[in-house]
Amino acid sequence: LVGFNAQTGHATVIGIPRDSYVNIPGFGRDKINASMVYGGPQLTAKAVAGMMGIAPDYVFTTSFWGFSRMVWTMGGVRVWSRHSFSEKLAKIRRGWNQVNGVEALVFVRQRKQLPGGDFDRSYNQGRFLIDGLRQARSVAQDTGGLEHILYTFTKQTDIDVGPIELYRLARSVLKIEPAKVKQCVINGHTGYAGGASVVYPNLSQAHSI
């Protein structure tokens, strides 16, 4: 969940662990990612609003391939990692890493090799958004750079935003200074629900944020 102030250039990235066990409107309690299966982006927005107390103004969804294509369009991203880990398709070291589309996908999806599991994965996803913003700002300085990014973005995401509004939104986002972006992850504890491993999020913390 990302919020920003276009006037001050400040923003906050709030990580919501994928396995957060919350109320899905109309379906009872389940992992928050199940809301996408039950009712798509609209229900996901309602589930996030119920958990956080903040109703999202926009919801953007993409596929694994779409995510990778967007990273490739920007020429890759230089991302910071708190931990080192490796898979067949990527080797991430602690510190700065220059990642392509596939490596970026590994970075934001890995959890089993991270000490904090789902919480560390959520942190990495937020970190990638911040470092991705830095790269997007750099690319947008080139002639036609912003338009090139937006063209790929519209092709690789499922959105219900008109081109003029999307362009204005992108211009506002690119005014945000990465150094002014704060990041956090909703904490909680792991457990089981019906035999499934879940995260019981700290809803008091979520609403206070």
Side-chain angles (χ1 to χ4, degrees):
L1 180 62
V2 178
F4 70 93
N5 186 320
Q7 279 69 48
T8 66
H10 288 78
T12 301
V13 178
I14 305 172
I16 300 175
R18 186 198 69 178
D19 292 341
S20 295
Y21 195 64
V22 299
N23 179 60
I24 308 296
F27 294 89
R29 288 171 63 79
D30 207 332
K31 293 183 180 182
I32 196 165
N33 63 323
S35 60
M36 195 68 165
V37 178
Y38 296 147
Q42 292 80 9
L43 186 58
T44 299
K46 291 180 180 179
V48 169
M51 176 183 177
M52 299 295 304
I54 301 172
D57 295 309
Y58 302 93
V59 179
F60 301 95
T61 62
T62 188
S63 64
F64 292 159
W65 176 243
F67 173 83
S68 295
R69 287 292 298 270
M70 287 187 282
V71 174
W72 271 314
T73 294
M74 296 193 297
V77 171
R78 187 170 180 257
V79 66
W80 172 268
S81 178
R82 296 191 297 182
H83 307 285
S84 60
F85 58 89
S86 61
E87 288 190 9
K88 182 178 180 180
L89 297 176
K91 181 177 291 185
I92 304 296
R93 65 177 181 272
R94 185 179 183 278
W96 288 105
N97 297 262
Q98 181 68 32
V99 296
N100 60 29
V102 172
E103 293 166 336
L105 187 62
V106 171
F107 178 77
V108 300
R109 294 191 66 219
Q110 175 60 241
R111 70 179 174 90
K112 293 183 178 180
Q113 296 185 43
L114 302 178
D118 204 9
F119 299 100
D120 279 342
R121 171 170 58 187
S122 294
Y123 178 88
N124 281 351
Q125 292 168 354
R127 180 74 216 195
F128 189 85
L129 287 177
I130 297 171
D131 292 334
L133 169 63
R134 184 177 291 104
Q135 178 65 13
R137 281 164 55 97
S138 176
V139 173
Q141 292 179 1
D142 298 332
T143 303
L146 173 58
E147 290 74 14
H148 184 52
I149 291 176
L150 279 178
Y151 176 78
T152 302
F153 187 85
T154 56
K155 292 294 183 181
Q156 304 302 332
T157 57
D158 183 10
I159 58 176
D160 187 19
V161 179
I164 295 177
E165 184 178 4
L166 183 62
Y167 183 78
R168 289 174 176 170
L169 181 61
R171 290 291 298 270
S172 295
V173 169
L174 290 175
K175 291 180 181 178
I176 299 170
E177 298 180 28
K180 292 183 178 181
V181 180
K182 294 184 177 181
Q183 180 187 3
C184 62
V185 176
I186 301 303
N187 61 31
H189 66 276
T190 58
Y192 290 90
S197 176
V198 301
V199 169
Y200 290 99
N202 185 335
L203 295 181
S204 295
Q205 181 210 22
H207 281 265
S208 68
I209 292 175

